[in-house]
């Protein structure tokens, strides 16, 4: 393998991934725009033309902003790699540690390199996050965040990444240094343990740092909900209401956690909008995800993909062409592990785009399964009317482009979900 070969593979993968993303996004904009002036058949009574047009405008605004982010992200990626950005940063960090020879055997040098790189990346992203919240979400009436809350969130996330991320990165880099050529197998075991642990601690300790979670208070609703949870064999303590209205007017429900930390979370905005029957149906849908063990299946998928990824990294990290082809000269004395890790993470998204239809399709399949389960445990027509209300409130489009759906939709378009609920 030569450096030129690596460069070409990288450029071709990047070219394919960027063109594909642009093509899909433009298809989505075209399709949504061409249906903007008429509410699709069957939805005329439920969704006003005004709401339908708003969903189209919101979708297009997000797509156009996404294209801008893609252009910027591609420039940044090229600057880090072939443009010599990572090379420059590496020299800077090595200099602080007294040069290549002095940094040999040090764990602090690679950890610092990863940390500084991540910090620069997060700062570069901030203007985009600001624009998304305070321009786009604001314009469509969804943003409820003050600048103060936004900044507090950022600071909390940063502290959290340092507290959780630095020990993890340090452990992986340490394994890369001491565990021999099969380090990636050890790193995989560590990474999987970390993920399982995160599934337990996220709902219990991390999510509460950002939101307040309260048990359901409404008495009539609680009786219905407890009945349903009992029928489905789910602990009645597992339903929480979250103050989602603190950040956005959009509403949602989700399931999370494993073992004793597993729970269903309703946004307070959802509670305010849906009827008792509709809420019961949405809960039944979320319980359907547990019934079909979707979390465990997603974890199993993550296990396999991570093993393949880490094995690939284990091999690439030993090839000088991998570094040189992506614009970095490997260190002569100091460890190259952090450089390999960063280059791998930079190149990965361009390669993995081809697998996206597979993971999206599986995710949509899970949604159909959860819907079907909800129909057996509660009312299918209540779930249908809840889905229509959510579509309207969140300004989701009723007329997405089929190719865009194939690649990017983790949930089936609402039209398909309603059709599946009605049939069978
Ligand atoms: Zn679902």
């Amino acid at each position: 393998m030569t450096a030129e070969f690596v460069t070409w593979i990288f450029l071709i993968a990047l070219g394919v991934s960027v063109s594909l993303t642009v093509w899909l996004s433009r298809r989505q904009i075209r399709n949504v725009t061409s249906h903007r002036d008429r509410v699709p058949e069957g939805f005329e009574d439920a969704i006003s033309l005004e709401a339908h047009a708003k969903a189209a405008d919101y979708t297009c605004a997000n797509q156009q902003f996404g294209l801008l982010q893609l252009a910027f992200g591609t420039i940044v990626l090229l600057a880090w790699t072939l443009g010599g950005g990572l090379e420059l940063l590496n020299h800077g960090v090595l200099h602080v540690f007294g040069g290549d020879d002095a940094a040999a055997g040090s764990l602090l040098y690679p950890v610092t390199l990863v940390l500084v790189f991540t910090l620069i990346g997060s700062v570069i992203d901030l203007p985009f996050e600001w624009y998304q919240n305070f321009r786009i979400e604001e314009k469509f009436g969804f943003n409820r965040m003050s600048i103060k809350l936004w900044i507090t969130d950022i600071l909390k996330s940063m502290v959290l990444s340092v507290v959780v991320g630095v020990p993890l990165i340090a452990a992986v880099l340490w394994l890369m240094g001491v565990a021999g050529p099969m380090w990636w197998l050890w790193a995989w075991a560590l990474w999987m343990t970390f993920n399982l642990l995160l599934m337990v601690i996220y709902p219990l300790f991390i999510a509460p740092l950002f939101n307040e979670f309260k048990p359901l208070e409404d008495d009539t609703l609680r009786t219905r909900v407890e009945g349903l949870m009992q029928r489905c064999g789910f602990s009645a303590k597992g339903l929480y209401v979250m103050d989602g209205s603190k950040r956005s007017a959009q509403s949602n429900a989700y399931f999370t956690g494993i073992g004793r930390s597993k729970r269903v979370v309703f946004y307070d905005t959802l509670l305010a909008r849906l009827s008792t029957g509709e809420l019961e149906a949405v809960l039944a849908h979320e319980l359907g995800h547990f019934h079909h063990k979707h979390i465990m299946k997603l974890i199993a998928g993550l296990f396999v993909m991570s093993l393949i990824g880490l094995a690939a990294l284990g091999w690439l990290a030993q090839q000088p062409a991998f570094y040189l082809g992506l614009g970095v000269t490997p260190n002569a004395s100091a460890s190259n592990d952090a450089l390999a890790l960063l280059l791998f993470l930079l190149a990965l998204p361009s390669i993995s785009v081809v697998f996206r239809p597979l993971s999206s399709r599986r995710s949509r399949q899970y949604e159909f399964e959860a819907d079907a389960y909800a129909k057996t445990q509660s009312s299918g027509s209540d779930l249908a009317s809840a889905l229509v209300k959510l579509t309207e409130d969140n300004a989701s489009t009723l007329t997405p482009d089929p190719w865009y759906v194939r690649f990017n939709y983790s949930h089936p378009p609402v039209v398909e979900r309603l059709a599946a609920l009605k049939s069978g």
Side-chain angles (χ1 to χ4, degrees):
M1 196 167 73
T2 65
E4 290 80 52
F5 178 73
V6 173
T7 307
W8 276 111
I9 292 288
F10 171 63
L11 286 177
I12 291 169
L14 180 63
V16 169
S17 124
V18 169
S19 332
L20 189 65
T21 311
V22 171
W23 178 70
L24 290 168
S25 185
R26 292 185 56 166
R27 280 190 68 107
Q28 175 78 335
I29 292 173
R30 212 177 322 135
N31 207 55
V32 167
T33 309
S34 70
H35 291 92
R36 186 182 182 278
D37 297 329
R38 206 170 64 87
V39 180
E41 219 174 297
F43 290 89
E44 297 94 337
D45 298 334
I47 291 178
S48 68
L49 181 60
E50 192 194 358
H52 175 70
K54 177 187 168 183
D57 297 342
Y58 181 58
T59 306
C60 292
N62 276 316
Q63 288 300 327
Q64 273 146 2
F65 185 56
L67 287 174
L68 184 75
Q69 274 181 298
L70 176 71
F72 183 75
T74 307
I75 294 170
V76 169
L77 173 60
L78 287 170
W80 273 128
T81 53
L82 304 180
L86 187 56
E87 171 93 349
L88 196 70
L89 179 66
N90 186 41
H91 284 172
V93 174
L94 276 178
H95 184 74
V96 172
F97 282 85
D100 195 348
D101 290 325
S106 150
L107 186 60
L108 208 56
Y109 148 69
V111 171
T112 308
L113 181 61
V114 173
L115 209 62
V116 175
F117 173 87
T118 315
L119 187 70
I120 296 174
S122 318
V123 171
I124 290 177
D125 278 341
L126 284 181
F128 289 97
E129 282 171 31
W130 176 85
Y131 192 89
Q132 177 77 45
N133 279 310
F134 297 103
R135 283 294 177 266
I136 299 181
E137 301 295 312
E138 186 82 37
K139 180 180 169 195
F140 290 91
F142 291 135
N143 180 42
R144 295 268 180 87
M145 253 194 285
S146 62
I147 278 280
K148 193 180 151 207
L149 177 62
W150 186 67
I151 293 172
T152 317
D153 278 359
I154 293 168
L155 294 177
K156 277 187 197 168
S157 310
M158 278 171 115
V159 172
L160 198 64
S161 336
V162 170
V163 171
V164 180
V166 169
L168 179 74
I169 280 294
V172 170
L173 289 166
W174 177 74
L175 281 173
M176 288 173 94
V178 303
M182 296 298 272
W183 68 264
W184 52 273
L185 210 55
W186 293 98
W188 178 69
L190 175 75
W191 175 237
M192 289 302 105
T193 312
F194 171 75
N195 269 286
L196 288 175
L197 204 66
L198 200 62
M199 296 260 175
V200 178
I201 65 168
Y202 179 82
L204 297 179
F205 302 108
I206 298 180
L209 295 176
F210 295 90
N211 283 97
E212 204 177 331
F213 293 83
K214 284 183 178 160
L216 192 62
E217 270 162 7
D218 183 326
D219 276 338
T220 37
L221 181 57
R222 204 171 58 200
T223 322
R224 295 261 311 250
V225 155
E226 279 171 3
L228 171 69
M229 290 177 113
Q230 224 156 39
R231 287 205 299 284
C232 300
F234 193 86
S235 159
K237 273 188 273 176
L239 176 64
Y240 288 83
V241 179
M242 184 187 101
D243 57 347
S245 57
K246 196 168 140 184
R247 295 193 179 79
S248 170
Q250 294 188 329
S251 47
N252 211 343
Y254 68 90
F255 65 100
T256 177
I258 49 173
R260 290 177 78 179
S261 78
K262 74 179 178 187
R263 55 186 61 187
V264 172
V265 175
F266 278 178
Y267 283 34
D268 52 358
T269 36
L270 186 80
L271 229 51
R273 177 75 163 116
L274 300 187
S275 72
T276 307
E278 287 165 343
L279 284 167
E280 190 193 62
V282 170
L283 175 63
H285 168 95
E286 300 303 333
L287 295 178
H289 285 303
F290 285 111
H291 175 81
H292 287 288
K293 303 200 167 36
H294 289 156
I295 286 198
M296 293 325 264
K297 287 177 186 169
L298 288 171
I299 294 176
L302 180 73
F303 267 58
V304 176
M305 294 311 287
S306 309
L307 186 63
I308 297 171
L310 280 164
L313 174 59
W315 181 73
L316 287 168
Q318 294 178 17
Q319 316 295 321
F322 173 62
Y323 303 86
L324 293 167
L326 294 176
V328 175
T329 319
N331 302 322
S333 315
S335 147
N336 284 306
D337 298 338
L339 289 172
L341 195 65
L342 293 176
L343 287 175
F344 186 72
L345 292 177
L346 282 168
L348 195 62
S350 311
I351 311 277
S352 64
V353 69
V354 289
F355 299 110
R356 222 164 52 205
L358 295 175
S359 60
S360 296
R361 190 175 69 174
R362 194 174 56 159
S363 171
R364 291 196 303 274
Q365 192 56 42
Y366 289 170
E367 295 306 321
F368 280 129
E369 285 174 16
D371 280 353
Y373 179 81
K375 202 171 138 182
T376 64
Q377 298 296 332
S378 67
S379 149
S381 62
D382 274 343
L383 183 58
S385 65
L387 287 174
V388 172
K389 280 187 187 173
L390 283 177
T391 303
E392 181 176 7
D393 289 4
N394 296 342
S396 312
T397 179
L398 286 169
T399 57
D401 173 69
W403 278 99
Y404 189 86
V405 169
R406 261 177 216 133
F407 272 84
N408 295 319
Y409 269 42
S410 63
H411 288 59
V414 78
V415 179
E416 285 179 29
R417 289 177 76 175
L418 296 190
L421 278 171
K422 271 183 198 132
S423 73

